[in-house]
Amino acid sequence: MEQEATEFRLSRQLYGHQEDVRGIGVCGENKFATGSRDKTVRLWVADHENNYMLEKTMVGHTSFVGPVAWLPPSESFPAGGLVSGGMDTLVIVWNIEDSKQVYTLRGHESQVTSVVIDDQGDIFSASQDWSIRRWRQGQCLEILKGHQGPVQAIVMLPSGEMVTGSSDCTIKIWKGSKCIRTFSGHSDTVRGLALMPNVGILSASHDGSIRLWSVSGDTLLEMVGHTAIVYCVAASSSGIVASGSEDCLAKVWKDGTCCQSIQHPGCVWDVKFLPNGDLITACSDGVVRVWTKDPSRVASLEETEAYEAHLSAYRTQTKMVGGVNIQDLPGRDALLQPGSKNGKKLIIREGDNAVAYSWNAKEYLWDRIGEVVDGPGNFEGRPTLNGQQYDFVFDVAVEDGGPVHKLPYNRGDNPYTVADKWLLSEDLPLTYRQQVVEFILQNTGQNVPMVDTPFSDPYSGGSAYVPQQQPNWMNGIRSLLFALHVIQNYCSLTILFHEKVHCLRVLVSHNHIPQSIYLRKVCFCLIRLSTIQS
């Protein structure tokens, strides 16, 4: 008999989903189900050689599917059933035998984030509407409320109590419809929960940590190692812990120490252990992967090499320098905009390199400092976004499952002005304004209440952005005509206005701008005017 390996190795890659795989539900000994952003639930079954095949595809949700739970065989479901929750606020009960919907449970007002089944067969669902609902035979029996934020996860204790985790940073234990205990310790959303056999409760948090709690609420262990949001956590019967994160890693933990980091070509949304000890991971690249320590179940050399090549290509595509993806840095076009103050730093992408510039207010041009070796993230120790340095750059997910937006902020800035500009630039509803302001105040340690200023367009200064209005930086048409007259010596009279601007863009982006400071200012003004007019 071959000795079991000490680390997990790739066993199988399962293709079928068209978008992110968001949730996993283990279904007995040799099968499991997955939910995806592609709005489907899929059932995978292993043959006697441990080759997983797609057996069923269930279609019915109208938006992405997250959590999936297993209904063991019963009189109502001879072959077993599945329960899934979606962004469409629905909980759907499926019959595995014919892939048909048995019940469509309506009542939640927002995304369903977690579903579990208790020993009596009742379904519990958690939602971003701050509630937990209990369902039986297609009917809602009760609604539990107590969290002060979206409820993100549920797990059932062997004793019958229910455990919930929330965006209010707490974990609650419920007996029946009553909350009997509240745990505090995480500094951000509690996103995932799992049972640690014979020990306690595991929690995964947006604060980047995993915690092991006793049922009485004491923190037994804290596992820190991920560099981004931790979405999920699971434990095997042997006490091995696995976690998945926005940092594209599935980490394996033993006795509180990380013993393996498994790289993925995307965010790891969910992890689950199979009864045989194998690990399943759900990834944002749309692929389900099975990992094993058993040498007899390891993938072929050809499949392993193909996966390594895929990972290598992904790393190249998302090359990081100091925590910043070089491909996300602005190109030379960023040099078209003047700096806001003398010495203002700007980091741009030149080929595959990050290059730093400093604004020279006296000469009205960008001085090239040189290539950034240690990475933009480490440049003067401040975070960087689009080549600009800030005191803070926050990851903000307006809705679960949606894109993560980068929110930059400098100390001393008016949070309301920052919120207005950010919401407009990200094309987000202005109704989020107060929430953004409160988020900034809370996360920058500002406890002084801010005066709510009326909305003022950050680009025009008015209560609504009116492109037809004359820009406040160009005093009338006379200034424009004079600027055009001054620039004639630099551009041929036969070149039309927008063609002149194109020439200026090329000159400025390569730092080949006129020697006269006034002419440099005119260049920037004309470029900005053309941007607004277009």
Side-chain angles (χ1 to χ4, degrees), residues 24-33 68-71 82 272-275 280:
I24 304 168
V26 176
C27 310
E29 292 293 325
N30 67 335
K31 54 183 177 283
F32 61 86
V68 183
W70 164 241
L71 278 167
L82 291 172
K272 288 290 191 300
F273 283 100
L274 288 164
I280 317 167

Side-chain angles (χ1 to χ4, degrees), residues 61-72:
H61 281 283
T62 59
S63 187
F64 79 76
V65 185
V68 183
W70 164 241
L71 278 167

Side-chain angles (χ1 to χ4, degrees), residues 20-74:
D20 301 45
V21 185
R22 295 295 304 268
I24 304 168
V26 176
C27 310
E29 292 293 325
N30 67 335
K31 54 183 177 283
F32 61 86
T34 51
S36 168
R37 192 187 291 270
D38 66 10
K39 307 176 187 177
T40 69
V41 177
R42 296 177 190 250
L43 181 68
W44 310 84
V45 180
D47 60 20
H48 63 283
E49 293 181 352
N50 207 53
N51 294 311
Y52 283 89
M53 304 295 292
L54 177 60
E55 184 174 87
K56 305 278 186 181
T57 298
M58 283 147 272
V59 180
H61 281 283
T62 59
S63 187
F64 79 76
V65 185
V68 183
W70 164 241
L71 278 167
S74 64

Side-chain angles (χ1 to χ4, degrees), residues 278-530:
D278 287 357
L279 175 66
I280 317 167
T281 57
C283 186
S284 63
D285 68 348
V287 181
V288 183
R289 294 179 176 86
V290 182
W291 308 83
T292 188
K293 290 186 177 184
D294 187 333
S296 68
R297 297 198 291 270
V298 171
S300 66
L301 180 61
E302 181 180 1
E303 185 170 5
T304 301
E305 288 179 344
Y307 177 65
E308 291 297 331
H310 182 43
L311 264 184
S312 178
Y314 175 79
R315 284 192 291 261
T316 300
Q317 181 184 357
T318 56
K319 182 181 177 183
M320 306 293 287
V321 178
V324 176
N325 186 343
I326 288 184
Q327 297 304 313
D328 290 339
L329 290 174
R332 299 194 65 90
D333 282 351
L335 298 176
L336 298 171
Q337 298 296 325
S340 58
K341 62 181 179 180
N342 188 51
K344 178 73 175 180
K345 301 298 187 299
L346 174 68
I347 303 173
I348 68 170
R349 182 187 69 257
E350 292 185 0
D352 290 331
N353 300 315
V355 179
Y357 284 81
S358 177
W359 178 248
N360 185 331
K362 183 178 179 181
E363 298 296 326
Y364 214 77
L365 55 76
W366 288 101
D367 289 329
R368 190 180 194 275
I369 299 174
E371 183 177 338
V372 180
V373 178
D374 292 333
N378 296 329
F379 196 77
E380 293 186 358
R382 300 173 68 204
T384 304
L385 178 65
N386 297 327
Q388 300 280 355
Q389 289 181 294
Y390 296 92
D391 293 326
F392 305 92
V393 176
F394 301 108
D395 287 335
V396 180
V398 176
E399 61 180 30
D400 188 46
V404 174
H405 301 268
K406 299 289 185 180
L407 170 60
Y409 181 76
N410 282 319
R411 293 184 182 91
D413 287 350
N414 185 317
Y416 284 98
T417 303
V418 172
D420 292 340
K421 184 172 182 178
W422 183 73
L423 290 170
L424 288 173
S425 66
E426 296 293 318
D427 195 26
L428 294 171
L430 293 175
T431 52
Y432 288 122
R433 186 185 191 224
Q434 189 60 36
Q435 291 173 258
V436 174
V437 170
E438 291 173 359
F439 176 88
I440 291 172
L441 295 176
Q442 179 181 348
N443 288 278
T444 57
Q446 300 181 66
N447 297 319
V448 180
M450 299 294 297
V451 177
D452 185 356
T453 59
F455 171 76
S456 174
D457 186 276
Y459 300 103
S460 69
S463 59
Y465 179 45
V466 183
Q468 291 82 2
Q469 288 182 343
Q470 182 178 303
N472 57 14
W473 45 267
M474 183 69 81
N475 186 20
I477 192 66
R478 292 183 180 180
S479 297
L480 172 60
L481 292 174
F482 180 70
L484 287 171
H485 173 73
V486 172
I487 209 67
Q488 297 297 349
N489 293 328
Y490 208 80
C491 296
S492 169
L493 287 168
T494 60
I495 302 177
L496 296 174
F497 172 74
H498 284 288
E499 291 175 322
K500 291 175 186 176
V501 171
H502 173 72
C503 294
L504 292 174
R505 285 179 180 276
V506 174
L507 292 168
V508 173
S509 65
H510 287 81
N511 247 17
H512 300 320
I513 47 183
Q515 294 301 308
S516 164
I517 294 176
Y518 179 72
L519 290 181
R520 291 182 196 131
K521 293 182 179 181
V522 170
C523 289
F524 283 109
C525 285
L526 289 176
I527 290 167
R528 187 174 180 187
L529 178 62
S530 72

Side-chain angles (χ1 to χ4, degrees), residues 168-221:
D168 65 9
C169 308
T170 69
I171 297 168
K172 292 182 180 291
I173 296 184
W174 306 75
K175 188 168 185 177
S177 58
K178 183 180 179 182
C179 175
I180 60 172
R181 204 166 295 125
T182 299
F183 306 169
S184 297
H186 282 296
S187 59
D188 207 335
T189 295
V190 178
R191 185 61 176 266
L193 293 172
L195 293 183
M196 184 70 164
N198 304 315
V199 179
I201 303 158
L202 287 161
S203 60
S205 172
H206 285 199
D207 65 15
S209 73
I210 301 105
R211 290 189 179 218
L212 174 61
W213 308 78
S214 68
V215 177
S216 61
D218 297 320
T219 300
L220 305 178
L221 279 174

